[in-house]
């Protein structure tokens, strides 16, 4: 199984190096370490990481929350926020971007491992659910049903479709359901279509003694 690929977005170079070493010690692959939101978007587009560890407070332009929002809209890559600051306003802004985790700096290696594994698990579950939902939708799209009033000719028994054309019963139902047809003759029609056979069959039956 290939190693999980992680992108680190951190404007403190010393701490970024610490995060990279911790992630690599845990068996993950760090594909790039960037300092700005602009570079984060560029790296995400190029490498499509499995997870992004995003510092919220960034220098030079966009903060981590705005960067994560843009990446989510375009690429749907899961993000875990890492920050040394924790305010209610920041938390509310971060929640809107639906992060896969949140960790406060400074953190220990085992804490980093836990938040990354939980985020990856949530991401896999969401991907599986999305695949199952799509498969279910595709299956439902293939199921055709008949409902409502069906205009049927009282003489020839053809059915009028929604475009005003009169279709044979079999043709109409086949186009709107998964039903298939076999043909036979009911006893009533047998008497009308083949009276000689019906009479012969009746004459051949043993007569009851009086």
């Amino acid at each position: 199984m290939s190693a999980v690929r992680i992108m680190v977005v951190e404007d403190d170079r010393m701490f970024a190096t610490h995060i990279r070493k911790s992630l690599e010690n845990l068996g993950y692959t760090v594909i790039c370490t960037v300092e700005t939101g602009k570079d984060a978007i560029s790296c995400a587009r190029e490498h499509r990481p499995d997870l992004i560890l995003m510092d919220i407070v960034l220098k030079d332009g966009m903060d981590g929350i705005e960067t994560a929002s843009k990446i989510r809209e375009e690429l749907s890559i899961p993000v875990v926020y890492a920050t040394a600051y924790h305010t209610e306003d920041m938390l509310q802004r971060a929640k809107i971007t639906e992060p896969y985790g949140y960790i406060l700096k400074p953190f220990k290696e085992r804490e980093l491992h836990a938040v990354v594994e939980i985020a990856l698990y949530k991401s896999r579950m969401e991907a599986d659910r999305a695949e199952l939902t799509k498969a279910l939708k595709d299956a439902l799209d293939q199921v055709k049903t008949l409902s409502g009033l069906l205009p049927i000719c009282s003489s020839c028994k053809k059915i009028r479709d929604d475009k005003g054309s009169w279709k044979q019963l079999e043709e109409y139902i086949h186009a709107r359901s998964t039903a298939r047809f076999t043909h036979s003759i009911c006893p009533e029609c047998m008497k009308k279509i083949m009276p000689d056979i019906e009479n012969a069959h009746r004459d051949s039956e043993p007569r009851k003694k009086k």
Side-chain angles (χ1 to χ4, degrees):
M1 184 176 181
S2 60
V4 173
R5 302 162 62 253
I6 299 178
M7 179 175 76
V8 176
V9 185
E10 170 61 60
D11 63 359
D12 184 325
R13 294 187 179 182
M14 288 186 61
F15 196 70
T17 300
H18 169 68
I19 295 174
R20 173 187 283 272
K21 289 182 178 179
S22 295
L23 290 170
E24 291 175 344
N25 287 341
L26 292 168
Y28 305 118
T29 298
V30 179
I31 58 170
C32 60
T33 302
V34 297
E35 299 181 9
T36 68
K38 181 180 179 181
D39 289 341
I41 294 173
S42 177
C43 180
R45 286 172 176 165
E46 180 179 357
H47 297 287
R48 302 294 176 101
D50 300 306
L51 182 72
I52 298 174
L53 189 63
M54 177 80 70
D55 186 13
I56 289 183
V57 181
L58 298 174
K59 301 173 183 177
D60 300 327
M62 295 180 291
D63 66 6
I65 296 174
E66 185 180 357
T67 303
S69 178
K70 291 182 180 297
I71 291 175
R72 174 180 171 77
E73 291 175 4
E74 181 180 341
L75 303 172
S76 298
I77 299 172
V79 172
V80 169
Y81 287 124
T83 185
Y85 305 96
H86 185 167
T87 66
E88 185 62 27
D89 177 65
M90 181 183 293
L91 181 61
Q92 294 303 319
R93 286 184 60 223
K95 284 168 61 177
I96 295 174
T97 63
E98 300 181 13
Y100 284 69
Y102 195 105
I103 188 169
L104 290 175
K105 297 188 290 188
F107 45 79
K108 297 180 179 179
E109 193 170 282
R110 66 173 180 271
E111 296 171 335
L112 178 62
H113 186 216
V115 75
V116 167
E117 284 300 306
I118 291 173
L120 292 170
Y121 176 79
K122 288 173 62 178
S123 178
R124 286 193 294 268
M125 291 302 99
E126 285 197 5
D128 290 345
R129 184 164 56 248
E131 184 177 348
L132 180 61
T133 300
K134 182 180 183 302
L136 179 59
K137 182 180 182 300
D138 291 343
L140 290 174
D141 287 342
Q142 294 177 9
V143 175
K144 299 178 180 179
T145 59
L146 295 173
S147 62
L149 295 174
L150 301 179
I152 301 177
C153 174
S154 59
S155 176
C156 67
K157 307 305 180 184
K158 289 183 179 179
I159 301 178
R160 189 181 68 222
D161 63 19
D162 53 1
K163 295 181 180 180
S165 299
W166 290 90
K167 305 291 185 181
Q168 292 289 345
L169 178 66
E170 296 93 333
E171 180 183 359
Y172 185 92
I173 294 178
H174 176 72
R176 291 162 177 79
S177 74
T178 57
R180 297 295 181 266
F181 303 92
T182 60
H183 293 84
S184 60
I185 300 175
C186 70
E188 288 78 9
C189 290
M190 179 69 76
K191 294 176 183 179
K192 297 177 182 178
I193 298 172
M194 304 177 181
D196 293 340
I197 295 177
E198 178 64 22
N199 292 334
H201 175 70
R202 187 168 55 249
D203 292 341
S204 66
E205 292 181 351
R207 298 177 182 273
K208 293 182 180 180
K209 295 183 180 180
K210 295 182 180 180

